[in-house]
Amino acid sequence: MSKRLGTSATIATSVATLAVLLYVATGPALATLMLVVSAVAFAAWLRDDQRTDATAAVVPYLSVIVVSLLLSAVRYWSGYATHAVTALPALFVPHYASADVTWFVTTVTLPVSLMLLGGYALLRGHAIGRYMAWWTFAFAMADGATQVAVEFATAGYDHRFFLGAVLAAVEIALGALGWLRLVGRSAPAPETIQKPLTRQATILWSVGFFVFVAAYGVTLYSQAGYLPVIIIVGSMFGGLFAWLRTTAIVPANRLKVVPLYLLMLALFYIHVGEEGLSGFAHGIALISGVPWSEASFFEIIGLVGPAIWVAAALGMWLRQPWGNFLVWFMIVGMILGEPTHHIVFPVMAAVKLGVGYTYFGGMVTALFPMIPAIILAASIFADSRVARRSEMSPAEALPAT
């Protein structure tokens, strides 16, 4: 009883604080949405007897985050914030559309970070994790319904082939499916035991990953120049090497890896929010001499990229090789890439701009994702060594919790 009371107090104070912040930053629309979704989720959480296994909801939960990010990308391309202020001036403050970063932080970074943290708590068995599952599925249905209303009930919206409407329908369906999973009225399909990849399959997957790395690197270079490419593509090749040494040989224990990976992504996405607020793209352009627009930053680093990184958690949960590779890429990227905000970028700025060693975009939150990343790397390597010695997978060697 006391545990649920403490969780209830945490939920109430957090929701009230976020609602006030959203009201000040965006207007009554998003604040009201936060309050309604949170109240519905809280009511469902209070009635939840928690007899259903939380893992039954993992696939729709992670899918909601991926679809939400893709929908946000389409909204960005459609000028969603500007349209909202123009079509519904009573519900949004004017400065909501004055800068892309306002929309990005309040409408994308905030809910996605909450869902990622909630996924970590859910898989770790924390009381608030179950609430966040209800909240995520309620948010998905409300957010999808909002997009449908914008698409068909307001004039002048740039529909972009109605991709937003399609993704909204998928988001609503995933929210409903997750809700049914939590109440025990829908069960996931039976799982198959994953076997290690054959040598031929490993080679084919490696070639596919190499092509993906090359394509991503070329795209990023065309928009941001050499500096981000060195860090990101280097991390991808590091991830490929680590994958070949570990999870390409023996499957990872998803119950250990996925929760920590979601925590790492949450900390990283908060970091991306700081980069957006602090003009990280502009700073990189100044020290590299290659233009990098804010729009390109939000598209690749803030929206489409994170959809892929969250999909990696889904792929690992479903025991897919591409999920294992992408998880390793992100782990290596956090360990090698994030310290550059302290030891590379500000030093380059000091030398090139003559400003001395000073704050550079993303510096405050840069190192926090490294903590779970280092734990993940050590854990996967250790489990891999144990499994190879005992000739069984980590999923078999370690009991499910």
Side-chain angles (χ1 to χ4, degrees):
M1 179 67 180
S2 59
K3 184 177 181 181
R4 174 158 285 202
L5 180 62
T7 304
S8 299
T10 301
I11 292 169
T13 53
S14 300
V15 169
T17 302
L18 292 175
V20 170
L21 290 174
L22 286 172
Y23 181 85
V24 172
T26 68
L30 295 185
T32 302
L33 180 67
M34 171 65 73
L35 290 172
V36 171
V37 167
S38 300
V40 170
F42 188 72
W45 177 71
L46 288 176
R47 294 175 59 87
D48 186 3
D49 56 17
Q50 300 191 16
R51 293 180 182 177
T52 57
D53 187 355
T55 58
V58 170
V59 171
Y61 189 100
L62 296 177
S63 300
V64 162
I65 304 176
V66 174
V67 173
S68 175
L69 283 163
L70 293 176
L71 177 56
S72 295
V74 174
R75 285 170 169 169
Y76 185 62
W77 298 327
S78 300
Y80 182 89
T82 301
H83 175 79
V85 171
T86 303
L88 303 166
L91 299 180
F92 296 93
V93 294
H95 63 256
Y96 177 59
S98 62
D100 290 341
V101 69
T102 304
W103 168 83
F104 176 71
V105 170
T106 57
T107 313
V108 186
T109 306
L110 175 60
V112 169
S113 298
L114 288 174
M115 289 187 279
L116 290 169
L117 290 170
Y120 167 78
L122 178 68
L123 288 173
R124 286 299 194 193
H126 298 308
I128 202 166
R130 191 85 176 190
Y131 166 79
M132 283 306 303
W134 289 109
W135 188 92
T136 295
F137 296 133
F139 173 82
M141 291 185 280
D143 189 50
T146 300
Q147 180 66 26
V148 171
V150 170
E151 294 270 0
F152 299 107
T154 62
Y157 185 67
D158 185 357
H159 297 287
R160 296 282 175 164
F161 305 104
F162 291 97
L163 287 175
V166 173
L167 289 169
V170 174
E171 191 177 33
I172 293 170
L174 287 170
L177 175 61
W179 200 275
L180 292 174
R181 290 278 174 89
L182 288 176
V183 299
R185 295 186 180 181
S186 173
E191 296 183 5
T192 56
I193 298 176
Q194 184 187 17
K195 297 179 180 180
L197 293 175
T198 64
R199 181 177 178 82
Q200 182 180 11
T202 301
I203 293 173
L204 289 174
W205 276 108
S206 299
V207 171
F209 295 151
F210 184 85
V211 172
F212 169 74
V213 170
Y216 191 86
V218 169
T219 302
L220 186 59
Y221 179 79
S222 66
Q223 297 192 0
Y226 69 91
L227 202 53
V229 171
I230 292 174
I231 297 168
I232 293 176
V233 173
S235 299
M236 284 185 169
F237 279 117
L240 179 59
F241 173 78
W243 173 73
L244 288 170
R245 295 286 296 171
T246 57
T247 49
I249 302 171
V250 288
N253 180 355
R254 62 182 186 175
L255 288 172
K256 285 183 65 176
V257 174
V258 173
L260 270 175
Y261 180 71
L262 293 177
L263 175 61
M264 184 188 78
L265 284 185
L267 295 174
F268 175 64
Y269 206 56
I270 293 170
H271 167 64
V272 172
E274 185 199 349
E275 288 182 331
L277 284 169
S278 58
F280 175 74
H282 178 66
I284 291 293
L286 286 177
I287 63 176
S288 67
V290 179
W292 190 11
S293 69
E294 186 181 64
S296 295
F297 169 81
F298 286 130
E299 290 169 359
I300 297 179
I301 306 299
L303 297 169
V304 178
I308 297 173
W309 317 144
V310 178
L314 181 61
M316 173 165 275
W317 187 261
L318 296 174
R319 300 187 172 96
Q320 296 299 312
W322 57 268
N324 288 294
F325 161 68
L326 288 173
V327 165
W328 259 121
F329 153 61
M330 288 299 292
I331 292 172
V332 175
M334 297 302 101
I335 296 173
L336 298 182
E338 293 311 299
T340 58
H341 289 75
H342 288 262
I343 60 178
V344 176
F345 299 151
V347 173
M348 290 181 66
V351 172
K352 188 164 185 176
L353 306 178
V355 295
Y357 187 89
T358 186
Y359 173 82
F360 195 90
M363 180 182 282
V364 174
T365 54
L367 299 183
F368 292 106
M370 286 182 62
I371 301 171
I374 292 170
I375 297 172
L376 277 170
S379 176
I380 295 174
F381 271 116
D383 290 349
S384 179
R385 286 194 297 269
V386 170
R388 293 173 70 177
R389 282 199 299 265
S390 60
E391 295 184 348
M392 62 172 56
S393 73
E396 296 168 332
L398 299 168
T401 56

